[in-house]
Amino acid sequence: MKKTNELKGKIELVINGVKYIGVVDLQAERTAKQSEYPVWGVRIDRKNRDPEAAVEYIGAAEGYTPASGANAGSWADNPIFAKIKPCLMKNGKVATYLNPDNYKQAADGSSVEALRGYFDTMIEFGKMFYRISQDERYTYVEVAESEKSLADGFTDRAFSYKGKVRDRFYIGAYLGYKDDEGALRSISGHIPTGDLTIGQFREAAHRNGDGYELLAFNKLVLLQALYLIRYKSLDSRSALGMGWTEADDYAASGDSDALGLYYGEDNGESRVKCHGLEDFYGNKLQWIDGFITTNKIAVSDGYFNDTGDGYETAAALPKSVYGVILDVHGDNVLGFAPKKADDDEEVGSGYYCNYGSTWTDDNGCLPYFGGFRSNGAYAGAFYLYCGGSASYAYSYFGARLAFYGAED
């Protein structure tokens, strides 16, 4: 069978100062690696505007049926998603794991109702590896559970915190609520807190102890990659659910406690859950830490701040990007950050469907994610708007508690 050039890439070899250029079959290389360790992934055709047809399964995921709403498709027993577990946590320690189908119960089915106001309901993400890459036409998004994958361009940067790679991290199952003691919590039964700056939310997270933070960009990249592989669609509102994005009021946390780790409906007044996270998008916007734009994009895995002090430059940003996301940076560091967008494109009609931006600003712009209660089609799994000021504090801005690991 004749192979198309679209599946091939150049490889360069220098011997004694002489450069030799050959061609390597990129798809064959990926397939060959399956004998060493399984890799589940998707390939996105950047020339295809159809958000579902543009995405195809590759590697160990070939032949899989994608998830749809609460229906797991072929992913119910996949070992990657088995690393995602709900739990109760306090002071950086897991008290008990929860029934993934009902957060009101421990894993053994016993009630934890008496504990839930004291402990935070968190989602544990066990160690895994991802690789996001591009060639001239395609974006590849792949995950693996083998550490051998690091030698093949995969990364564990989602598990890095303050320069140290950890075995797991934890994200709040609910949007954050600031309690009477000023700490940001992840507990059921509360309207998520708003009207705070990102700095005030960050301080509230720190009140829980060493290692507590807000949801950070290096974690968000993995969450988005896992969504995309599971649902095989750039249109999350169609594939997973519309979320709380066409509602008049904010919703209290915990409505989806007994709806499993994944849930969504074709209804703008119904919550979505993804990877166990209620309101993965919708209800309130979520401040994202560890990402800032000026005339460049800079990122950090810890020591978060409002100015980007100490952050690592990840890409140049010669001009602002805003509108419906047409293309993303597509690498291990910047993942799905908008690289190309069109403000004249109809939201929800094609490509990544959601709105996104990276603004140039000498004072620095900070990102928020997901969309809020009345965002409609603007909201979704790829909504990332990096145009906010550190002074922003609005009712529709919230944040999500996280725990990344205490200092040694």
Side-chain angles (χ1 to χ4, degrees), residues 9-254:
K10 290 181 178 179
I11 185 169
E12 297 182 359
L13 180 65
V14 179
I15 302 177
N16 295 328
V18 180
K19 182 183 291 185
Y20 299 85
I21 300 178
V23 175
V24 60
D25 189 325
L26 297 177
Q27 191 65 31
E29 183 184 24
R30 284 180 162 86
T31 301
K33 288 298 181 183
Q34 296 295 326
S35 62
E36 296 182 30
Y37 55 86
V39 173
W40 297 268
V42 295
R43 186 179 73 167
I44 305 164
D45 185 349
R46 300 204 301 280
K47 295 184 179 181
N48 189 339
R49 64 174 288 112
D50 187 310
E52 293 185 6
V55 187
E56 66 175 304
Y57 278 134
I58 59 174
E62 288 187 39
Y64 269 39
T65 300
S68 176
N71 187 329
S74 299
W75 297 99
D77 299 317
N78 183 272
I80 287 290
F81 291 93
K83 294 175 177 286
I84 301 173
K85 304 175 182 178
C87 63
L88 292 182
M89 170 178 276
K90 190 72 173 178
N91 299 323
K93 303 293 183 182
V94 173
T96 185
Y97 288 97
L98 300 176
N99 177 353
D101 293 322
N102 189 343
Y103 294 175
K104 297 178 182 179
Q105 299 175 352
D108 63 5
S110 59
S111 175
V112 293
E113 277 291 270
L115 306 176
R116 295 210 304 158
Y118 176 74
F119 293 93
D120 291 295
T121 304
M122 308 289 282
I123 307 298
E124 178 183 282
F125 291 82
K127 191 72 168 291
M128 61 184 79
F129 308 87
Y130 74 83
R131 177 172 64 184
I132 303 176
S133 58
Q134 290 185 337
D135 58 24
E136 291 182 358
R137 179 162 182 169
Y138 297 101
T139 300
Y140 302 88
V141 182
E142 300 160 289
V143 291
E145 57 175 341
S146 173
E147 196 163 350
K148 293 179 181 179
S149 65
L150 289 172
D152 298 314
F154 282 73
T155 184
D156 54 10
R157 66 180 294 117
F159 293 84
S160 178
Y161 176 57
K162 296 184 175 179
K164 180 180 178 180
V165 175
R166 318 287 172 136
D167 289 332
R168 57 191 62 84
F169 64 82
Y170 299 83
I171 305 294
Y174 315 114
L175 292 176
Y177 163 73
K178 187 177 179 181
D179 68 13
D180 292 340
E181 297 180 358
L184 191 66
R185 305 291 307 281
S186 177
I187 52 178
S188 181
H190 294 276
I191 299 293
T193 295
D195 290 310
L196 298 179
T197 66
I198 186 173
Q200 290 170 329
F201 272 117
R202 190 186 300 123
E203 180 183 359
H206 291 171
R207 284 180 174 267
N208 291 286
D210 188 21
Y212 280 92
E213 303 282 1
L214 305 182
L215 176 58
F217 181 76
N218 67 332
K219 275 65 178 173
L220 178 62
V221 172
L222 177 60
L223 301 183
Q224 292 174 311
L226 290 172
Y227 155 78
L228 183 54
I229 290 170
R230 187 179 180 96
Y231 284 89
K232 191 180 164 290
S233 176
L234 301 178
D235 185 359
S236 57
R237 283 167 58 85
S238 294
L240 172 59
M242 294 173 68
W244 198 263
T245 59
E246 298 179 2
D248 294 329
D249 299 308
Y250 301 112
S253 57

Side-chain angles (χ1 to χ4, degrees), residues 280-362:
F280 182 54
Y281 50 84
N283 204 7
K284 290 200 175 187
L285 294 163
Q286 301 170 55
W287 281 115
I288 300 296
D289 234 336
F291 186 104
I292 193 170
T293 62
T294 50
N295 61 350
K296 62 186 180 182
I297 302 175
V299 297
S300 178
D301 73 346
Y303 304 107
F304 305 120
N305 58 74
D306 292 350
T307 63
D309 182 37
Y311 283 25
E312 166 196 359
T313 298
L317 188 62
K319 63 179 181 179
S320 296
V321 174
Y322 55 92
V324 174
I325 302 169
L326 306 184
D327 195 13
V328 297
H329 281 267
D331 60 31
N332 286 347
V333 178
L334 291 180
F336 305 95
K339 184 177 183 180
K340 183 180 179 182
D342 187 349
D343 199 33
D344 293 325
E345 178 82 15
E346 183 182 355
V347 177
S349 66
Y351 298 102
Y352 283 81
C353 292
N354 302 145
Y355 201 87
S357 75
T358 44
W359 287 88
T360 59
D361 190 309
D362 290 341

Side-chain angles (χ1 to χ4, degrees), residues 381-399:
F382 298 104
Y383 177 105
L384 184 75
Y385 195 99
C386 189
S389 165
S391 64
Y392 280 11
Y394 301 113
S395 62
Y396 49 91
F397 276 64

